[in-house]
Amino acid sequence: MRFQRILAYLMLGSLTLAWACGGRNATQSNTETPQTIGGVPAVRLNYRYEPDVPAPTLENTQRSDTDRNPAVQADFDKARSQELLDRTITSPDKKRVLAVYRNISDLPSEIRLDMYSTEGKLLRKVTSDAMAGHFPDTIVWSDDSKSVAFVAANRTVGLTPSMPVTPAPVVPDANAAEDPNDTPLPTPTLAAPTPAPPVGILTFKTEQIYICDSEGGGIKALTQNEGLIYFYFVWSPDSSMLAALAATAREWRFQEIISDGKGESMVPQGRLRIVEKNGRERRLDDNLTFVRPVWSPDSAKVAVPYDTQIRVYDAAGTNPTQAAVPLRNQLLISSQAYDRDQQRKLQAANSGNDANATPQATPDEPSSTLPDEKLLVSYNPIVELAWAADDLIYLKTAYLRRMKSDADSVTSFARWHRLALTPQPSGPAK
């Protein structure tokens, strides 16, 4: 009897220990379950580098200088002969058209903006006579079509008022003889009055970011940092904020001097910052870059490259983090393999042309040292990013040289790579 009681106690203890171990393991398993990429701080992301992959399939958002809405162009041809329409930019929902134009007396680099319907009806003048829009290539609609962002500064050549748009009414000839058999002419209808340009908008000496709504109203300066020049900006997918690059006026002028000395076209460099629609601004980094930033599809993060490094930043949260992804070594190794592959293809092509030539194999041997970047023609900095999916960032490396003449500009050895992101597992429960 005593033996049976001891055996029962031992069995009960074993069951209790097994339950405790099982419960603890289950807790650890739940704790270590990976989260979604959007919910993981940037500093807790792992990555895997994949070289020389096909280019990502992205929506083409580039616009030609000749893109013009036919109805808006017709309005300019008929009633705005003293103004030159440069281009039109249609909202994503295809309901509004932003006209980019200038008066014949304006400087070529200073533009004006008006909001039209897609039928060619002028809804509202966006810019005031005292402000000049700059960098028309950077004007961008938000994805929800509710806002459009652009940069503007003080107008430098006087305050030339915008031209009247109302056409002159048709006046019948008073000296003409009346014919009783003629059908009376209809009474001419006066055209709707031309909307007046807005007034009282704060402007600055340097280019600041402005936004307006889809009706062309509610215009305001989103940034108000005199002395800074904002030149690249992109909306987050949820249309709540912008990622922008900005440089000081002194830095901008210095970059112009250096480029002019080389006979090159200036490619501006700036510091990354996030600008919310309420005007709150947060600078993310002190390093300069010339590459436009990209947003994650869920608007939780933004990324930008610096030469051969990519940095990922949390866009929101009480304690936002950032992560640096150094890729120099991986790019060196993959460039060495790429150059060897190109050399083999060239030898094969040459041997095909010469029947007596014998192709020589160049086996890829694992190297114990990093290759010399000066000997690799395909080793180049990162010049473009594309965040194609939550867990995939594409990066393009290439040799770029932008000259004063587009015919002399060079782009070579363009190659696409990508980073596959995964969340780091969280630690075991304590």
Side-chain angles (χ1 to χ4, degrees):
M1 187 68 178
R2 183 177 180 182
F3 173 77
Q4 292 177 350
R5 183 178 299 175
I6 293 174
L7 182 61
Y9 286 151
L10 291 174
M11 292 179 63
L12 181 60
S14 299
L15 290 174
T16 302
L17 181 61
W19 176 86
C21 294
R24 186 174 181 179
N25 289 338
T27 303
Q28 287 183 359
S29 177
N30 291 336
T31 303
E32 295 174 358
T33 300
Q35 308 172 34
T36 60
I37 298 297
V40 177
V43 74
R44 294 189 60 82
L45 289 176
N46 290 329
Y47 72 92
R48 183 180 70 255
Y49 171 73
E50 300 175 357
D52 296 296
V53 299
T57 302
L58 300 173
E59 182 181 358
N60 184 15
T61 57
Q62 298 297 321
R63 301 182 302 272
S64 169
D65 288 344
T66 59
D67 285 346
R68 294 182 179 91
N69 178 281
V72 176
Q73 181 67 69
D75 183 64
F76 271 79
D77 294 341
K78 179 180 179 181
R80 309 182 68 168
S81 59
Q82 299 299 307
E83 296 169 319
L84 305 175
L85 180 64
D86 290 338
R87 69 183 64 182
T88 58
I89 306 174
T90 305
S91 61
D93 62 5
K94 311 299 181 184
K95 295 181 179 180
R96 292 291 180 264
V97 179
L98 188 71
V100 182
Y101 71 100
R102 55 187 173 88
N103 292 345
I104 57 176
S105 59
D106 292 342
L107 291 176
S109 61
E110 297 185 344
I111 59 173
R112 301 172 189 258
L113 304 174
D114 287 353
M115 189 67 70
Y116 275 82
S117 68
T118 53
E119 294 79 19
K121 178 184 178 182
L122 176 60
L123 302 177
R124 192 185 299 255
K125 289 184 172 296
V126 176
T127 54
S128 68
D129 290 332
M131 65 190 304
H134 291 183
F135 314 142
D137 289 335
T138 63
I139 299 172
V140 61
W141 282 92
S142 60
D143 288 351
D144 62 6
S145 299
K146 293 182 179 180
S147 303
V148 61
F150 60 95
V151 295
N154 294 337
R155 186 166 294 279
T156 57
V157 181
L159 299 180
T160 306
S162 54
M163 302 297 179
V165 181
T166 306
V170 178
V171 180
D173 187 357
N175 298 323
E178 294 186 5
D179 187 345
N181 297 324
D182 287 344
T183 303
L185 294 174
T187 303
T189 303
L190 295 178
T194 303
V199 295
I201 300 174
L202 189 63
T203 58
F204 302 85
K205 297 177 182 178
T206 56
E207 290 80 353
Q208 303 295 310
I209 300 177
Y210 290 78
I211 62 171
C212 71
D213 59 35
S214 60
E215 301 300 318
I219 182 172
K220 66 177 181 179
L222 203 60
T223 61
Q224 301 184 18
N225 296 316
E226 188 82 270
L228 281 183
I229 297 177
Y230 294 80
F231 53 94
Y232 289 156
F233 41 93
V234 57
W235 284 100
S236 60
D238 63 4
S239 304
S240 65
M241 49 191 161
L242 293 157
L245 296 182
T248 66
R250 180 177 296 182
E251 290 171 333
W252 186 277
R253 180 57 184 154
F254 177 76
Q255 294 173 24
E256 285 182 327
I257 294 174
I258 295 299
S259 299
D260 290 342
K262 298 179 179 179
E264 298 178 350
S265 177
M266 197 266 279
V267 178
Q269 298 185 60
R271 296 174 179 83
L272 178 63
R273 54 194 67 218
I274 287 179
V275 184
E276 300 178 14
K277 292 181 73 172
N278 60 9
R280 186 171 63 179
E281 185 173 335
R282 176 164 61 98
R283 191 168 75 180
L284 301 183
D285 212 293
D286 287 330
N287 291 299
L288 295 171
T289 182
F290 67 92
V291 184
R292 299 180 187 233
V294 294
W295 287 93
S296 62
D298 58 4
S299 302
K301 294 175 176 61
V302 63
V304 72
Y306 301 94
D307 192 39
T308 59
Q309 180 185 106
I310 294 177
R311 293 193 181 183
V312 182
Y313 309 85
D314 293 328
T318 55
N319 296 304
T321 68
Q322 64 172 283
V325 183
L327 296 172
R328 180 179 182 274
N329 294 350
Q330 291 92 327
L331 290 172
L332 281 172
I333 295 172
S334 62
S335 294
Q336 183 183 54
Y338 180 86
D339 285 2
R340 288 175 175 173
D341 183 62
Q342 295 301 308
Q343 185 178 6
R344 281 195 293 264
K345 291 180 180 179
L346 181 61
Q347 289 178 349
N350 292 336
S351 63
N353 296 331
D354 187 354
N356 298 323
T358 302
Q360 297 179 355
T362 55
D364 291 337
E365 298 179 358
S367 177
S368 58
T369 59
L370 288 174
D372 186 353
E373 63 182 79
K374 298 179 181 179
L375 304 178
L376 301 174
V377 295
S378 66
Y379 175 74
N380 292 293
I382 302 170
V383 298
E384 185 178 348
L385 288 185
W387 206 320
D390 286 342
D391 59 346
L392 289 178
I393 299 179
Y394 284 77
L395 52 139
K396 179 181 179 181
T397 58
Y399 172 77
L400 298 180
R401 191 176 184 187
R402 295 292 174 254
M403 308 302 293
K404 297 288 186 182
S405 173
D406 291 340
D408 297 329
S409 298
V410 178
T411 300
S412 60
F413 295 103
R415 301 160 55 210
W416 280 98
H417 322 277
R418 68 185 177 194
L419 300 180
L421 304 178
T422 55
Q424 295 179 9
S426 56
K430 296 182 179 179

